[in-house]
């Protein structure tokens, strides 16, 4: 039906708005005539629709007097607003028990994942190069565990500048500057230093590389010569032959690794009772409390020419320094600080050589036992000495036998060393 007034049509509007205009001036707004209509009929008046001219849209009722689609919108409950009749914007109380539960689960998960990753990382860095199965004619084992701990003059991985800085020289091969037996058991731990100048007999042995059997000739020499002759396997064989004590595990660290560990923990504080100098090791210390860096620490544990007791005094200094180092490594500032813990572990593991059966648990047992002994919880001593011959230190055979018997039975040690 056409709602335009009678006589009006598209054709009668002429050239007006909507059909184009030839006039250069815009045409004015046109007025629409009022249309009167009868109520309820086509010609009646109409009331204006609500909502500003947009007819209200209706949706199925949700059973509570509200439209199911628009429920809450027209009442102001928009974007998280309170429901009708609610408490004016009050948010529900947080579920702290649930939050604590999930926080605990997250912390435990992170701890477990980190621990497992650290274990495999550390285990992969161990150099299991020593095969104790090549050692022949071994004594019977006893109670507890015996570790042979060796500090060698290995220069592997060191530059010419490092060798000069650490006063290591450039000699070929490897020798041992430090040898210790650490016994762990139910009755405490015992750490026994073996002077490198100890007089020992080189027994029959099987070559670690050739597999050839070398018959013993009764030849006596210094203990460190065994290592220089055929490495760790012959050293273990020689210690076992001359003591009767079975060695369960072997651990060795070189010059560079030792110095790096000290630097990784930020240095080691200790008190030096009397100052000394030694051109061979590069030592130059004054008496008193001081913090030693890696270079100074290596000079401290290597020095023997500056002392009248020579190697015996050096072994005492080595035990004293190891006590201070173990204490520093085990402090919360190192253990709980990953920026110190991981560099320290990395420095030690990178240059640590162990036997093929050594696990990380064995390594941890060795470290904590050594820390306990050097901290006063156990026995720390030198191998008993009865005298010397040709510059070699002779062990006290009676005391050594008593000492070994006590270690085999895991009894408290009653023997004292030099």
């Amino acid at each position: 039906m056409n709602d335009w007034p009678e006589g009006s049509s598209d054709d009668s509007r002429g050239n007006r708005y909507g059909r184009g205009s030839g006039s250069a001036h815009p045409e004015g707004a046109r007025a629409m005539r009022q249309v009167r209509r009868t109520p309820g009929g086509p010609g009646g008046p109409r009331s204006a629709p609500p909502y500003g001219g947009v007819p209200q849209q209706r949706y199925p009722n949700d059973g509570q007097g509200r439209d199911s689609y628009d429920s809450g919108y027209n009442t102001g409950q928009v974007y998280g607003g309170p429901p009708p009749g609610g408490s004016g914007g009050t948010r529900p109380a947080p579920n702290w028990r649930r939050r604590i539960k999930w926080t605990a689960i997250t912390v435990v998960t992170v701890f477990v994942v980190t621990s497992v990753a650290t274990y495999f990382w550390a285990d992969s860095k161990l150099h299991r190069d020593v095969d104790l199965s090549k050692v022949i004619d071994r004594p019977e084992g006893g109670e507890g565990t015996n570790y042979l701990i060796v500090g060698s003059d290995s220069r592997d991985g060191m530059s010419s500048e490092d060798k000069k800085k650490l006063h290591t020289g450039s000699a070929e091969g490897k020798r041992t500057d430090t040898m210790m037996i650490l016994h762990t058991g139910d009755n405490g731990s015992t750490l026994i230093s073996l002077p490198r100048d100890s007089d020992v007999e080189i027994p029959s042995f099987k070559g670690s590389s050739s597999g050839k059997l070398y018959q013993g000739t009764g030849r006596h020499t210094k203990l460190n010569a065994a290592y220089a002759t055929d490495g760790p396997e012959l050293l273990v064989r020689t210690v076992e032959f001359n003591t009767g004590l079975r060695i369960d595990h072997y651990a060795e660290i070189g010059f560079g690794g030792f110095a790096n560990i000290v630097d990784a923990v930020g240095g080691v504080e200790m008190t030096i009772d009397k100052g000394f100098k030694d051109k061979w090791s590069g030592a130059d210390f004054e008496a008193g409390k001081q913090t030693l860096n890696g270079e100074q620490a290596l000079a401290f544990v290597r020095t023997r020419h500056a002392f009248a007791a020579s190697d015996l005094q050096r072994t005492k200094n080595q035990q004293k320094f190891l006590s201070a180092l173990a204490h520093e490594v085990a402090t919360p500032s190192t253990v709980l600080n990953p920026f110190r813990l991981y560099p320290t572990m990395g420095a030690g593991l990178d240059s640590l050589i162990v036997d093929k059966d050594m696990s990380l648990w064995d390594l941890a047992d060795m470290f904590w036992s050594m820390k306990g002994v050097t901290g006063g919880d156990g026995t720390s001593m030198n191998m008993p000495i009865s005298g010397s011959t040709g510059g070699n230190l002779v062990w006290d055979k009676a005391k050594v036998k008593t000492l070994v018997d006590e270690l085999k039975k895991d009894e408290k040690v009653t023997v004292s060393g030099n």
Side-chain angles (χ1 to χ4, degrees), residues 141-144 146 183-187 245 401-412:
E143 299 181 28
N146 300 310
H183 172 84
T184 66
D186 295 333
N187 291 305
L245 184 68
K401 184 178 184 307
T402 301
L403 173 62
V404 171
D405 288 342
E406 292 174 340
L407 293 178
K408 282 186 173 182
K409 298 175 182 177
D410 194 26
E411 297 176 346
K412 186 174 179 59

Side-chain angles (χ1 to χ4, degrees), residues 49-292:
Y51 305 100
V54 179
Q56 183 177 12
Q57 301 184 35
R58 304 298 296 174
Y59 301 93
N61 195 279
D62 64 357
Q64 298 181 5
R66 296 176 297 182
D67 294 338
S68 60
Y69 182 83
D70 198 37
S71 179
Y73 183 86
N74 292 321
T75 60
Q77 187 181 355
V78 184
Y79 303 118
S87 54
T90 302
R91 306 180 71 175
N95 190 335
W96 288 108
R97 182 175 297 179
R98 182 181 178 85
R99 291 188 179 185
I100 292 173
K101 171 187 174 181
W102 283 106
T103 299
I105 291 175
T106 301
V107 171
V108 171
T109 301
V110 171
F111 175 77
V112 171
V113 171
T114 302
S115 299
V116 172
T118 299
Y119 176 87
F120 284 105
W121 167 77
D123 189 72
S124 67
K125 295 179 77 68
L126 277 179
H127 300 281
R128 295 183 173 93
D129 300 337
V130 180
D131 189 356
L132 295 184
S133 67
K134 295 179 180 179
V135 180
I136 63 174
D137 300 333
R138 308 192 69 185
E140 292 292 329
E143 299 181 28
T145 304
N146 300 310
Y147 300 88
L148 181 59
I149 303 171
V150 174
S152 75
D153 64 358
S154 171
R155 299 160 179 84
D156 290 346
M158 297 175 62
S159 64
S160 298
E161 183 179 349
D162 291 335
K163 295 175 184 178
K164 182 178 180 180
K165 177 182 177 182
L166 298 176
H167 299 273
T168 65
S170 299
E172 296 295 330
K174 296 193 297 184
R175 283 148 293 277
T176 52
D177 273 2
T178 306
M179 289 165 285
M180 298 179 180
I181 294 175
L182 174 66
H183 172 84
T184 66
D186 295 333
N187 291 305
S189 301
T190 303
L191 183 65
I192 308 162
S193 289
L194 309 176
R196 57 170 280 176
D197 294 339
S198 296
D199 185 81
V200 295
E201 179 182 341
I202 301 296
S204 300
F205 68 96
K206 183 181 291 187
S208 58
S209 298
S210 65
K212 179 181 177 181
L213 181 64
Y214 295 88
Q215 292 292 341
T217 61
R219 178 174 67 96
H220 280 245
T221 185
K222 294 181 179 181
L223 180 59
N224 68 333
Y227 183 97
T229 300
D230 197 46
E233 288 84 358
L234 179 54
L235 177 61
V236 170
R237 167 74 174 130
T238 302
V239 170
E240 290 185 342
F241 178 82
N242 285 270
T243 63
L245 184 68
R246 185 183 180 94
I247 299 300
D248 299 299
H249 291 294
Y250 177 93
E252 174 189 331
I253 192 167
F255 281 163
F258 179 83
N260 289 339
I261 291 175
V262 176
D263 287 334
V265 298
V268 175
E269 183 178 87
M270 63 181 305
T271 300
I272 297 178
D273 299 326
K274 185 179 180 179
F276 59 89
K277 293 183 179 182
D278 180 21
K279 67 177 182 178
W280 302 101
S281 66
D284 186 3
F285 297 106
E286 297 181 355
K289 181 179 292 186
Q290 50 203 287
T291 299
L292 308 186

